[in-house]
Amino acid sequence: MNLQNFLDEVASVVAANDDEHVITKQVADHLSELLTGGYRLPPELTRPDPDHHVNYPLHRTSTWCVAVVVWAPGQRTPVHGHETWGVVGIYSGAEREIRYAKPTTTGLLTALDEQTFHVGSVTVCCTTDDDVHAVEAASDDPTIGIHVYGADIGTISRRRYDPATGEVTWFTGGWHQP
């Protein structure tokens, strides 16, 4: 599958469904096809930043987007939410994810599970009812993920959680340019 076929398939899925669980299942299937079909990212979208992970826009619409997220070895995100659905496929490296129970009131976060995803792995990272996690690069090489979200993830307000206190702050992730 090439990138344009993938984008067309995702557009079709999003247009035909209102249920984010159906959307994420179908988008995950298409993302798996893209990753196993020999698709190669442009080299400028695979470069890490030494100070923080970067979010490169690959495709953006008013209702969904595709981002390339790149981490240098050892970089991690704070505990955060997405406020939308999302699917992640690992293009290179490995990604360790710790999921937390989405709090219904303020308080300490409860870790639910931890997984490590390797090249070719595809996972539903979030739905609006289950979207609190932290992620870190878990390999000696840069970790690169192709992320598909049900909103323009670089421009929406999202929650960041302090795991020790449960305090919530809001942030906008922004986009980086290659």
Side-chain angles (χ1 to χ4, degrees):
M1 176 178 286
N2 66 36
L3 180 60
Q4 189 58 56
N5 293 119
F6 172 72
L7 297 174
D8 292 345
E9 292 292 343
V10 172
S12 177
V13 167
V14 171
N17 296 284
D18 290 329
D19 183 330
E20 64 186 18
H21 296 279
V22 172
I23 291 170
T24 54
K25 165 72 171 89
Q26 292 180 10
V27 168
D29 291 344
H30 294 304
L31 184 52
S32 183
E33 288 178 44
L34 181 70
L35 290 171
T36 60
Y39 172 68
R40 304 304 307 157
L41 283 167
E44 63 272 15
L45 298 181
T46 64
R47 295 187 186 117
D49 182 289
D51 299 322
H52 54 79
H53 76 278
V54 291
N55 301 314
Y56 297 123
L58 188 59
H59 181 80
R60 296 167 62 192
T61 76
S62 61
T63 56
W64 60 279
C65 74
V66 180
V68 178
V69 182
V70 183
W71 292 270
Q75 288 177 339
R76 64 181 55 211
T77 68
V79 179
H80 64 281
H82 301 86
E83 313 307 319
T84 188
W85 59 261
V87 177
V88 174
I90 304 303
Y91 179 83
S92 71
E95 176 182 298
R96 182 175 152 251
E97 176 192 47
I98 302 170
R99 286 187 181 258
Y100 294 86
K102 188 171 186 175
T104 54
T105 61
T106 58
L108 298 178
L109 292 178
T110 303
L112 296 176
D113 66 6
E114 181 179 316
Q115 291 185 287
T116 301
F117 301 102
H118 300 276
V119 174
S121 297
V122 175
T123 184
V124 174
C125 75
C126 49
T127 54
T128 54
D129 62 338
D130 177 23
D131 79 333
V132 180
H133 73 171
V135 175
E136 73 175 290
S139 70
D140 293 333
D141 297 315
T143 296
I144 302 170
I146 298 176
H147 297 220
V148 185
Y149 293 107
D152 186 336
I153 202 70
T155 63
I156 64 172
S157 291
R158 299 164 49 200
R159 288 176 179 92
R160 178 179 294 133
Y161 299 87
D162 181 324
T165 66
E167 180 185 358
V168 174
T169 56
W170 290 86
F171 75 102
T172 302
W175 290 109
H176 300 92
Q177 296 305 312

